[in-house]
Amino acid sequence: MKYTEEHEWLRVEGDLVVVGITEHAATQLGDVVFVELPETETMVAAGDEVVVIESVKAASDILAPVDGEIVAVNSKLTDHPGLVNEDPTGAAWFFKMKLDDLSVLDQFMDEDEYNDLIG
């Protein structure tokens, strides 16, 4: 897994990248009560707002970590947003992206570097 400074995790599955938020981010948000997911077959650029999350504490945006196409979304989160708190690095993935070049993921942190970031 790779990690961003925005507390997203990225996991490669074949030629796709699965994107979610870290346990640290889920804890900071508090109880998630709403998730708005992107449309599939949407082209996004790194930094684009892709997902909206609302919790009892705040609203937050999940940004596209890299350029690519959204090819799948986790529709379970629409009906069960609390899954983000229950299993943030597993069942609560947000979307899957197809990238032109998976080597762009080399720029992101590994688990040790991410743990150093969050202390």
Side-chain angles (χ1 to χ4, degrees):
M1 245 192 247
K2 294 290 191 171
Y3 299 87
T4 72
E5 291 183 1
E6 290 76 29
H7 308 287
E8 297 166 355
W9 55 261
L10 314 171
R11 182 177 61 232
V12 175
E13 288 184 357
D15 64 345
L16 301 179
V17 175
V18 184
V19 180
I21 62 170
T22 64
E23 187 170 343
H24 176 79
T27 300
Q28 295 299 311
L29 280 170
D31 293 337
V32 175
V33 296
F34 175 79
V35 175
E36 181 181 328
L37 297 166
E39 296 292 322
T40 57
E41 300 181 7
T42 302
M43 296 300 295
V44 295
D48 285 356
E49 295 175 0
V50 180
V51 175
V52 176
I53 301 176
E54 293 181 10
S55 72
V56 294
K57 290 183 180 180
S60 184
D61 295 316
I62 303 300
L63 307 179
V66 292
D67 298 348
E69 178 184 4
I70 306 291
V71 295
V73 296
N74 188 353
S75 57
K76 289 180 188 174
L77 297 180
T78 304
D79 294 329
H80 303 287
L83 195 57
V84 173
N85 301 107
E86 295 166 20
D87 191 10
T89 59
W93 58 274
F94 288 105
F95 56 91
K96 296 182 181 184
M97 298 180 72
K98 184 171 178 112
L99 312 181
D100 288 335
D101 181 7
L102 290 175
S103 71
V104 298
L105 300 179
D106 294 342
Q107 68 184 306
F108 297 108
M109 294 176 275
D110 64 21
E111 187 173 4
D112 289 339
E113 292 168 319
Y114 181 74
N115 286 332
D116 287 345
L117 174 74
I118 61 174

